[in-house]
Amino acid sequence: MDNETLTITDNRTNQNYTIPISHGTIRAMDLRQIKTGPDDFGLMTYDPAFMNTASCQSAITFLDGDKGILRYRGYPIEQLAEHCTFLEVAYLLLNGELPTADELAYWNCDVMRHTMIHENVKKFMDGFHHDAHPMGTLLSTVAALSTFYPDARNISDPKIRRKQIVRLIGKMPTLAAYAYRHRLGLPYIYPDPELSYTKNYMHMLWKRTEPKYEANPVLAHALEVLFILHADHEQNCSTSAMRAVGSSNADPYATTAAAISALWGPLHGGANEEVLRMLGEIGSKDHIPAFIDQVKEGKRKLMGFGHRVYKNYDPRARIIKQVAEEVFEVTGRNPKIDIALELERIALSDDYFIKRKLYPNVDFYSGIIYQAMGFTPDQFTVLFGIPRTVGWLAQWDEMLSDPDKKIARPRQVYTGEEQRDFVPITLRGQRELVEA
Ligand code: ACO
């Protein structure tokens, strides 16, 4: 279209500028030509939390937050959750198409072949304190993998990249299960590549002295669905960390460790752990109105509610609610679900939440299922990190093949002192000491 442009008048100079629009965006660099004179640096945009800035082009995940739509490579999340295995979805995210039967069989074998970890990694994990938070253990151990696979630094070779991708997807459940067992003082269980991705994870978590651990099929299926729902979510905080760190051409293990660190924060993936603590603290339905009052007074946050891009019901939360009922058929009902449902009911009919378009997000119900399955809250974010590794790696791989790729290096608006001259220490006077 010829009129896909934006005309800007700079009232400081009365100059007009015409800037092309593509995909509903303008290029921030096109603003740089807007200057008051030859010494002016040029106009920049200020967008501290990327509220309205597209940092990349991506063909992986589509999200319409106002309509509550989520699609991987064009396929609605609801259909993928109903019909696919997690590894099938992982293949889709990484390769752009659903696998054929042969491709899927090969892919399953390939990933499961990489579930073993070097014995020295086990020794490394032994060094953590008995009550180390499993996210701390996971992120450090993933970073440590870079020392075992020095070839990974050659990130410009697509074959080498692919190898690390399969390694990481294969090893994440093993590392997560070892972090879990380390905390309980239980011996590590080697992976069984004959099992499915989730059944093998359950086997490494929960096998005791029985000759063969048989995962409950309903719980294994629930985990598959939860993993599918968490596999990617376009440019969220941890994926942006993955892209920012990866843009310096750091190796994929160090880069993934950075993404895990970002995920751990309570405003992002760490929210699922916080939701359970919050539900525990509320204790019973009678205490909900008082809790909601505290939220509205700004004293608390309703964890698991709100989202930067969803201004409608998070479609993942809707699916998770259904999965919860299936899991409870096996495990018995987690009483926290009734507090959560009542919290949701009250919040969604309250003006504070309606006005701000705050709805339950993916983290609101997931922890309740994980707890019913036997996980402790400190494991919940790990359960997010395992599947999200696929999304991080798909986005990292896409970035490295993008001709527009450059090292991430934002600008700033400097608000500090103008140039001033050095003052010798003897002339700096006295200030009150502040204890660190
Ligand atoms: N409880 C109470 N009030 C909230 C909540 C909440 N959970 N979330 C947002 N608000 C309020 C804010 O106080 C603000 O109110 P104001 O306009 O009166 O100042 C308004 O809603 C807008 O919120 P922002 O913080 O500006 O929204 P933002 O997009 O920056 O933050 C976030 C999104 C971080 C997810 C926020 O909603 C939140 O902290 N939620 C709780 C933590 C959580 O569940 N995180 C998981 C998100 S999903 C994920 O990452 C996997």
Side-chain angles (χ1 to χ4, degrees), residues 209-223:
T209 50
E210 68 276 45
K212 191 157 175 64
Y213 175 84
E214 292 287 348
N216 181 297
V218 175
L219 302 188
H221 174 254
L223 214 46

Side-chain angles (χ1 to χ4, degrees), residues 49 58 125 195 209 266 375 431:
S58 179
M125 294 182 90
L195 298 174
T209 50
F375 292 99
R431 264 193 299 263

Side-chain angles (χ1 to χ4, degrees), residues 49 51 230 233 236-238 263 265-272 274-275 291 295-296 298 300-311 314 316 352-353 355-364 384 388:
M51 298 281 285
H230 286 88
H233 211 235
N236 54 83
C237 179
S238 54
L263 184 74
L267 296 186
H268 187 18
N272 54 13
E274 296 303 321
V275 169
F291 179 82
V295 172
K296 286 159 60 176
R300 305 287 304 260
K301 264 198 169 173
L302 178 49
M303 298 309 284
F305 254 68
H307 200 277
R308 170 60 58 76
V309 285
Y310 284 123
K311 301 301 169 197
D314 182 336
R316 302 167 299 173
Y352 176 94
F353 297 89
K355 259 201 216 142
R356 291 170 178 78
K357 299 189 175 167
L358 300 173
Y359 291 87
N361 59 49
V362 70
D363 290 321
F364 193 63
F384 194 151
R388 182 55 59 85

Side-chain angles (χ1 to χ4, degrees), residues 59-64 69-78 80 92-93 232 310 315:
I60 300 173
T61 291
F62 174 80
L63 205 169
D64 183 330
I69 294 173
L70 174 62
R71 297 183 200 131
Y72 295 161
R73 301 283 188 184
Y75 293 103
I77 190 69
E78 293 80 4
L80 295 172
L92 170 71
L93 285 167
D232 193 48
Y310 284 123

Side-chain angles (χ1 to χ4, degrees), residues 17 20 22 36 87 159 180 202 227 264 270 291 307 346 379 408:
Y17 301 86
S22 170
T36 50
L87 283 185
K159 271 199 182 144
Y180 174 80
M202 292 164 83
F227 277 11
W264 193 3
F291 179 82
H307 200 277
I346 294 180
Q379 299 289 332

Side-chain angles (χ1 to χ4, degrees), residues 71-352:
R71 297 183 200 131
Y72 295 161
R73 301 283 188 184
Y75 293 103
I77 190 69
E78 293 80 4
Q79 293 182 19
L80 295 172
E82 188 178 346
H83 300 293
C84 290
T85 63
F86 169 67
L87 283 185
E88 203 175 347
V89 170
Y91 185 99
L92 170 71
L93 285 167
L94 288 159
N95 300 294
E97 294 298 334
L98 284 165
T100 63
D102 284 349
E103 284 166 343
L104 182 59
Y106 183 82
W107 170 240
N108 280 339
C109 270
D110 207 15
V111 171
M112 296 312 291
R113 213 163 47 85
H114 283 93
T115 48
M116 295 286 271
I117 56 173
H118 195 290
E119 287 293 294
N120 284 354
V121 176
K122 268 171 46 183
K123 289 187 203 147
F124 177 83
M125 294 182 90
D126 279 341
F128 287 101
H129 206 253
H130 69 90
D131 60 357
H133 195 290
M135 279 299 278
T137 306
L138 186 70
L139 78 89
S140 327
T141 314
V142 167
L145 290 182
S146 62
T147 64
F148 290 83
Y149 306 110
D151 55 324
R153 277 153 64 185
N154 187 359
I155 51 100
S156 53
D157 183 334
K159 271 199 182 144
I160 292 183
R161 286 213 298 268
R162 217 10 86 129
K163 182 87 177 269
Q164 315 318 314
I165 288 174
V166 182
R167 275 183 178 147
L168 262 164
I169 296 172
K171 289 179 199 329
M172 282 299 278
T174 315
L175 298 178
Y178 285 14
Y180 174 80
R181 292 183 78 99
H182 175 74
R183 200 138 157 63
L184 297 176
L186 292 169
Y188 305 131
I189 301 291
Y190 286 110
D192 181 348
E194 297 296 311
L195 298 174
S196 74
Y197 194 74
T198 50
K199 282 186 177 165
N200 169 56
Y201 178 43
M202 292 164 83
H203 146 86
M204 292 186 291
L205 285 169
W206 291 317
K207 184 177 183 325
R208 295 288 172 116
T209 50
E210 68 276 45
K212 191 157 175 64
Y213 175 84
E214 292 287 348
N216 181 297
V218 175
L219 302 188
H221 174 254
L223 214 46
E224 291 277 332
V225 174
L226 285 159
F227 277 11
I228 290 170
L229 300 181
H230 286 88
D232 193 48
H233 211 235
E234 52 117 304
Q235 308 313 315
N236 54 83
C237 179
S238 54
T239 303
S240 300
M242 185 86 188
R243 280 185 178 259
V245 175
S247 76
S248 76
N249 293 354
D251 88 81
Y253 301 101
T255 306
T256 305
I260 299 174
S261 308
L263 184 74
W264 193 3
L267 296 186
H268 187 18
N272 54 13
E273 183 176 344
E274 296 303 321
V275 169
L276 252 281
R277 292 198 203 295
M278 175 188 78
L279 295 175
E281 209 183 300
I282 294 173
S284 78
K285 285 194 210 171
D286 322 340
H287 299 143
I288 293 177
F291 179 82
I292 293 279
D293 285 346
Q294 285 192 343
V295 172
K296 286 159 60 176
E297 286 161 21
K299 293 183 184 152
R300 305 287 304 260
K301 264 198 169 173
L302 178 49
M303 298 309 284
F305 254 68
H307 200 277
R308 170 60 58 76
V309 285
Y310 284 123
K311 301 301 169 197
N312 196 329
Y313 213 99
D314 182 336
R316 302 167 299 173
R318 210 185 295 281
I319 302 171
I320 290 177
K321 252 166 103 173
Q322 291 160 11
V323 173
E325 296 303 334
E326 291 163 28
V327 168
F328 297 156
E329 293 279 317
V330 177
T331 61
R333 197 169 176 81
N334 183 342
K336 297 222 170 60
I337 186 85
D338 297 316
I339 302 177
L341 287 167
E342 183 63 4
L343 253 181
E344 179 188 322
R345 191 190 66 74
I346 294 180
L348 293 188
S349 56
D350 189 299
D351 242 20
Y352 176 94

